Amino acid sequence: MLQNTQINSIYKLDYQLGGMKGRATQLTSLRTLLGRHVDVLWEPGSHKYNVSSFIGELDEVLFGAEFSEFTDEMLDTLISALRKRGNSNATINRKMAALSKLLRKAHKMGDVQSLPEFKRLKEKAGRIRFLEPEEETRLFEAISEKSDLYGRFCIFLIDTGARLGEGIGLRWQDLNRDRATFWLTKSGKSRSVPLTERAAAAIQASERTRRGPFTNIIQAKFRAAWNEAKQEVGLGSEPDVVPHILRHTCASRLVQGGIDIRRVQTWLGHQTLQMTMRYAHLASGDLDICVPILERAARAKTA
């Protein structure tokens, strides 16, 4: 493994200008660039927190190396290190997306002289886990026993498909009769969704003294309660049973219920249809009309 001094000696390069050696470009690091641009590039919320964690990890991989140019070699070093840490291509793509956004801003502001070529890694479709009705009942009952607020929050999330940060960030003024509007979203675009009866009841049971129905929920404490309840109901061995499964479950139920994929995309607030297409296979009922045709063909062959 390269030592800190070795990496710095590799990346502390002067640049040539017009055939003459120009003055050395001021060196910087990923952590420095993050501190300089994070508030401009990302709004407050869980996504900003995740991005900061990603960039911090990448800076750690480079041993805090300072540079004036971010090279393809540096990018390869990061991807190789993340793979050795067990990161999937999907996870690496998310981290590289944050890095690309930061570096493009830094390049525009003159902090970095050149950028590498970012190529999206091929992602596996993977299996999407969602809760069966019986699993939902057991899990929600166990969570509600620990905290009524947490139990109501779970109901709200599974019936709206909201992300944790979106639900916690909801304000009373964002609620209009039977609809909820999420302003602080991952895509940066607001969206409104209608509320089910039980989602509306979950909201109304919250204290009006708070800025929003779920604003006093701390994610770390909620996740801890979730994991305890998950163990108690026999789901502790399933790594995919995390709070985000509530969003998957909402999407799955919409598709299985016959809602077209475009409407599901709008409901979830996905930036691209490709993200929503992960659930398309659940609409298998559309293929049922194919069976009689195949059966008639089979009977005709044996007649």
Side-chain angles (χ1 to χ4, degrees):
M1 181 178 292
L2 292 176
Q3 298 300 313
N4 188 13
T5 54
Q6 292 176 297
I7 290 183
N8 276 298
S9 65
I10 292 174
Y11 300 139
K12 286 185 178 179
L13 302 175
D14 291 340
Y15 67 98
Q16 300 293 326
L17 181 61
M20 299 293 292
K21 189 173 184 179
R23 66 180 180 82
T25 304
Q26 185 176 357
L27 300 175
T28 188
S29 67
L30 288 180
R31 196 173 294 277
T32 299
L33 292 177
L34 179 68
R36 191 173 298 164
H37 303 299
V38 65
D39 291 330
V40 175
L41 293 174
W42 293 282
E43 295 183 0
S46 58
H47 184 55
K48 179 180 179 181
Y49 174 82
N50 291 337
V51 164
S52 298
S53 298
F54 292 162
I55 300 300
E57 180 185 8
L58 299 179
D59 183 72
E60 173 194 319
V61 171
L62 294 177
F63 297 100
E66 296 182 328
F67 51 86
S68 60
E69 299 179 349
F70 204 95
T71 65
D72 288 320
E73 180 186 359
M74 295 169 71
L75 187 62
D76 291 344
T77 297
L78 292 176
I79 294 175
S80 176
L82 293 176
R83 280 183 170 153
K84 289 178 181 177
R85 293 185 177 192
N87 286 205
S88 66
N89 280 0
T91 300
I92 294 174
N93 280 336
R94 287 197 295 272
K95 295 177 179 180
M96 292 301 105
L99 175 63
S100 175
K101 187 172 183 177
L102 177 62
L103 289 179
R104 281 188 281 112
K105 177 65 174 179
H107 184 259
K108 184 177 180 180
M109 300 304 293
D111 298 329
V112 178
Q113 296 302 309
S114 64
L115 302 178
E117 181 182 1
F118 285 88
K119 294 182 179 179
R120 186 174 178 84
L121 303 177
K122 187 175 181 180
E123 299 180 13
K124 296 180 180 178
R127 175 179 179 267
I128 295 178
R129 176 72 160 90
F130 53 89
L131 293 177
E132 298 291 347
E134 183 271 335
E135 292 176 325
E136 175 192 330
T137 299
R138 288 190 290 120
L139 183 59
F140 284 14
E141 286 179 353
I143 292 174
S144 296
E145 288 179 3
K146 301 179 185 302
S147 167
D148 175 68
L149 175 63
Y150 289 173
R152 289 187 286 107
F153 187 47
C154 287
I155 291 173
F156 175 81
L157 293 179
I158 202 170
D159 277 9
T160 62
R163 301 177 179 90
L164 259 67
E166 294 172 346
I168 293 174
L170 193 69
R171 302 291 185 262
W172 289 111
Q173 59 265 32
D174 302 333
L175 298 163
N176 181 19
R177 296 182 181 177
D178 60 349
R179 306 182 81 83
T181 298
F182 303 109
W183 296 97
L184 300 177
T185 65
K186 186 177 179 180
S187 67
K189 298 179 181 179
S190 62
R191 73 180 187 281
S192 297
V193 299
L195 299 172
T196 63
E197 289 184 6
R198 66 173 187 167
I203 289 172
Q204 293 304 318
S206 292
E207 298 177 7
R208 288 275 178 172
T209 54
R210 303 282 183 176
R211 288 183 298 168
F214 307 112
T215 51
N216 58 325
I217 291 179
I218 299 173
Q219 279 205 36
K221 292 184 177 180
F222 173 74
R223 290 180 185 277
W226 173 282
N227 289 332
E228 288 180 8
K230 169 183 167 179
Q231 291 285 347
E232 292 170 4
V233 300
L235 297 173
S237 62
E238 296 203 42
D240 293 332
V241 180
V242 296
H244 197 73
I245 198 176
L246 302 179
R247 182 169 164 85
H248 286 321
T249 302
C250 178
S252 300
R253 290 176 179 177
L254 290 174
V255 174
Q256 288 175 319
I259 304 300
D260 68 85
I261 205 71
R262 285 286 185 183
R263 282 192 173 88
V264 177
Q265 178 189 3
T266 301
W267 184 287
L268 296 177
H270 282 158
Q271 289 182 283
T272 65
L273 184 61
Q274 182 180 3
M275 298 174 69
T276 319
M277 287 300 293
R278 294 178 298 170
Y279 307 101
H281 69 282
L282 297 171
S284 57
D286 293 344
L287 303 179
D288 291 346
I289 59 173
C290 302
V291 175
I293 295 174
L294 295 174
E295 288 181 341
R296 283 199 300 271
R299 287 195 296 270
K301 182 179 179 181
T302 57

